[in-house]
Amino acid sequence: MASEASMSADNRINISDRLKRLFIRLGILPFLLVIAVIVFSLMSDNFLTGRNLMNVLRQSVYLTIVSLGQMLALLTGGFDLSVGTIVALSSVVGALAMATAFAAMPEMVWLAIFIGCFAGILAGTMVGVVNGIGVSLFNVSPFMMSLGMASVGFGIALYLTGGVPVYGMPQQFGDIFGFGALAGIPVPVYVAAIIILCLYLFLNWTPFGRYFYAVGGNIKAAGLSGISTRATLFWTYVFCAAMAAVAGMLLTARLDTGEANIGASMPLESIAACVIAGVSLRGGVGRVENVVLGALFIGLVQNGMNLARIESYLQTVVLGALLILAVIADQIRLRYVASLKR
């Protein structure tokens, strides 16, 4: 009896050690994914159907793209609170430009679509340029800089539209980039896949991509090693804004209107997706594939709560709680890592 009790105790210790090692290596995301799948599968029979999972994939595209941009800001030790405004501003400017071009040249549909997308992405990227100048050249806190630009961009979007949705875009824009599918997979998923691949190769296979990790890990050491920290910080916010602007145009195609009120939840959700995926708030740590899974996890949770008919107000509470949980888990993980190095 004593030997059996000893063996069961040893097994429990081994399982605990394995879970601890898994937590140190992968973070809290795998555990949250397993819990979410089990809970929502029990709450709804439709949760694990192929149709619903494809719907989750499509709905998560916009957050995934924004989160990848937010990851760059977090890698360098900052964050961007203006991503929601960038989504809205690119939507409004892109829709206005596209509708105007289409009205002037109704026979040149694709030129109008190109003009609208170019104008929308350029407008959103300019917010990142201003953020980058403020952070890199004037050493303004990313929190204050992006928060100020969030207010400025939102005001511009409301001024341009008067709070009224923008209509008049070509039907082909929404049919292809909003509702289109190729081989059964939505077109926005392909756009996101291209961005994911490009960012993965950029961060892992180019010297400039490694600079983001170096600047976030130790900005003084990065500067002493010859890295242009100002240029790295500047391009961080430009790339972040450009990705948010692309998400804004895809969301515009999905809604078939330009909206000044979309993207309000993007800052919280994108930071939550990154932190849950193991991107450190201290900078220098994060992986593209984990952030993609983090964004999919947020989409999975939102979809599960919708199927369970949980009110939208309570969903915001859950997302905030997940963010806090992820930050606490990140701190615990750092302590475990530090204890192993001793």
Side-chain angles (χ1 to χ4, degrees):
M1 293 291 292
S3 61
E4 290 180 2
S6 177
M7 288 178 61
S8 62
D10 289 340
N11 288 334
R12 285 196 295 269
I13 292 172
N14 288 334
I15 293 172
S16 177
D17 287 341
R18 288 176 183 174
L19 289 175
K20 185 177 178 180
R21 290 190 193 123
L22 185 66
F23 173 64
I24 292 172
R25 190 173 63 183
L26 301 177
I28 196 174
L29 180 57
F31 300 94
L32 291 178
L33 273 171
V34 171
I35 293 170
V37 169
I38 293 173
V39 170
F40 291 123
S41 297
L42 293 174
M43 296 178 71
S44 174
D45 295 333
N46 297 322
F47 181 70
L48 285 180
T49 61
R51 182 178 180 182
N52 185 60
L53 292 177
M54 181 59 71
N55 183 50
V56 170
L57 183 63
R58 178 178 53 78
Q59 292 289 354
S60 300
V61 161
Y62 318 108
L63 177 59
T64 298
I65 296 173
V66 175
S67 297
L68 290 172
Q70 189 71 256
M71 172 191 169
L72 294 178
L74 289 169
L75 281 179
T76 56
F79 45 83
D80 193 343
L81 296 178
S82 63
V83 289
T85 292
I86 294 169
V87 170
L89 185 63
S90 62
S91 174
V92 166
V93 173
L96 284 171
M98 195 181 300
T100 302
F102 183 57
M105 305 174 292
E107 71 286 351
M108 304 181 73
V109 174
W110 287 106
L111 179 60
I113 291 175
F114 173 79
I115 290 172
C117 290
F118 179 79
I121 294 173
L122 179 63
T125 304
M126 289 307 298
V127 176
V129 170
V130 176
N131 280 334
I133 291 173
V135 173
S136 63
L137 295 183
F138 297 101
N139 296 320
V140 180
S141 163
F143 174 83
M144 292 307 301
M145 192 69 215
S146 60
L147 183 64
M149 285 307 298
S151 179
V152 171
F154 183 61
I156 293 173
L158 286 175
Y159 174 78
L160 289 174
T161 63
V164 179
V166 180
Y167 298 96
M169 293 179 291
Q171 184 178 347
Q172 291 89 333
F173 179 58
D175 288 345
I176 294 175
F177 295 101
F179 300 91
L182 184 62
I185 299 175
V187 170
V189 175
Y190 288 103
V191 177
I194 293 171
I195 293 174
I196 291 166
L197 178 61
C198 290
L199 187 62
Y200 178 84
L201 295 175
F202 172 70
L203 288 177
N204 294 283
W205 295 93
T206 67
F208 188 40
R210 304 307 299 176
Y211 292 170
F212 289 84
Y213 290 94
V215 169
N218 190 324
I219 190 169
K220 290 184 179 179
L224 291 173
S225 65
I227 296 173
S228 176
T229 56
R230 291 185 184 275
T232 303
L233 287 172
F234 172 77
W235 286 109
T236 292
Y237 292 93
V238 173
F239 291 156
C240 179
M243 281 186 258
V246 171
M249 291 310 301
L250 289 175
L251 199 52
T252 302
R254 183 67 185 177
L255 297 173
D256 207 25
T257 60
E259 297 275 356
N261 296 314
I262 61 174
S265 62
M266 281 296 183
L268 171 64
E269 292 178 2
S270 62
I271 293 174
C274 289
V275 174
I276 289 171
V279 181
S280 176
L281 292 174
R282 300 181 182 184
V285 178
R287 298 177 65 86
V288 170
E289 57 271 29
N290 289 354
V291 172
V292 173
L293 287 177
L296 287 173
F297 169 74
I298 297 292
L300 203 68
V301 170
Q302 290 176 329
N303 176 265
M305 289 190 292
N306 286 332
L307 290 177
R309 298 183 180 179
I310 297 175
E311 294 183 9
S312 59
Y313 305 112
L314 290 178
Q315 292 186 24
T316 306
V317 174
V318 172
L319 286 177
L322 284 174
L323 177 58
I324 295 171
L325 176 63
V327 172
I328 293 173
D330 184 54
Q331 294 300 313
I332 295 173
R333 183 165 167 262
L334 288 174
R335 291 178 186 175
Y336 283 156
V337 172
S339 66
L340 290 175
K341 291 179 179 180
R342 291 173 185 171

